[in-house]
Amino acid sequence: MVNFTGEKHLLIDLKDGSFQAFERLYNMYSGKLYNFIMRLSSGNQYMAEEVVQSTFIRIWEVREKVDTNASFISFLCTIAKNLLMNMYQRQTVEYVYNEYLLKSSVDRDSQTEENIDLHFLNDYIDSLAEELPAQRKKIFILSKRQNYTNKEIAEMMGISESTVATQLSLAVKFMREQLMKHYDKVIALLIAFFVNEM
């Protein structure tokens, strides 16, 4: 069991930019996080390794925002779950996209396919954003399309950072659920895109 007082000191040092504190936290928690993701991913070692590395990269990027009074492992698990869901979402879109390419027998070079994939993903995300409540849509666009931080969005809209974070979480959850449920809609968008391109 991790000593809370010792952990808190490490988190304070982390917020101050201590890479040594970051390494100690990594050594303390990476194994636990790996096992957690292995359970969530039904034993997918590749995903578990990728998510653990990406989670700690994210921790370093947002170190100044770490709450030293909150459970660090809970924070890690939340980030890791979101990253894992994003990986699943991406895999789902790639699967549907590749299935369509196989069935359509469209002959395109790899660069063109990458551009179409990116175009399709952006279009689909934009269409989902239109279904969000007005405030949530604005927050999502400011964050994901215009790259404002939660703090900047909160100041611009006169709301709290926690409200921004909550609304972003709800927006992403909605989009993930729609993507996982509506394969037919995804296929229809792909077909429409290819028809317009021909």
Side-chain angles (χ1 to χ4, degrees), residues 96-196:
V96 173
Y97 174 69
N98 288 329
E99 284 295 300
Y100 178 77
L101 285 181
L102 287 173
K103 292 176 182 177
S104 65
S105 300
V106 178
D107 184 20
R108 298 175 183 272
D109 61 41
S110 60
Q111 185 62 48
T112 301
E113 288 183 5
E114 288 174 7
N115 290 337
I116 290 170
D117 191 26
L118 180 61
H119 187 157
F120 163 68
L121 285 171
N122 286 331
D123 282 354
Y124 186 58
I125 289 170
D126 287 343
S127 73
L128 289 178
E130 291 299 321
E131 299 180 34
L132 297 171
Q135 184 190 54
R136 195 172 301 164
K137 173 185 171 183
K138 184 174 182 180
I139 290 171
F140 178 81
I141 291 172
L142 287 171
S143 174
K144 303 303 183 184
R145 286 288 182 252
Q146 299 178 21
N147 298 315
Y148 285 101
T149 65
N150 286 8
K151 183 177 180 181
E152 289 170 334
I153 296 170
E155 290 172 353
M156 290 168 62
M157 297 183 66
I159 56 179
S160 68
E161 283 188 59
S162 62
T163 298
V164 173
T166 299
Q167 292 298 315
L168 274 176
S169 177
L170 290 171
V172 172
K173 180 182 178 183
F174 166 77
M175 292 184 179
R176 182 167 62 242
E177 289 173 348
Q178 294 303 306
L179 180 63
M180 300 301 283
K181 286 193 299 186
H182 299 298
Y183 293 102
D184 290 344
K185 186 174 181 180
V186 176
I187 289 291
L189 283 169
L190 276 169
I191 293 172
F193 178 78
F194 275 97
V195 169
N196 290 336

Side-chain angles (χ1 to χ4, degrees), residues 19 22-23 25-27 29-38 44-62 72 76-77 79-81 83-84 87:
F19 193 72
F22 172 78
E23 286 186 318
L25 288 164
Y26 179 87
N27 291 332
Y29 289 112
S30 59
K32 294 181 178 68
L33 192 61
Y34 177 84
N35 291 334
F36 173 69
I37 297 301
M38 281 287 282
N44 189 315
Q45 293 181 355
Y46 170 77
M47 274 193 166
E49 290 171 2
E50 286 292 307
V51 169
V52 168
Q53 295 304 316
S54 297
T55 298
F56 277 94
I57 289 170
R58 182 65 179 154
I59 288 294
W60 180 253
E61 291 173 345
V62 301
F72 186 62
L76 282 174
C77 289
I79 292 174
K81 282 192 293 185
L83 289 170
L84 182 64
M87 288 178 72

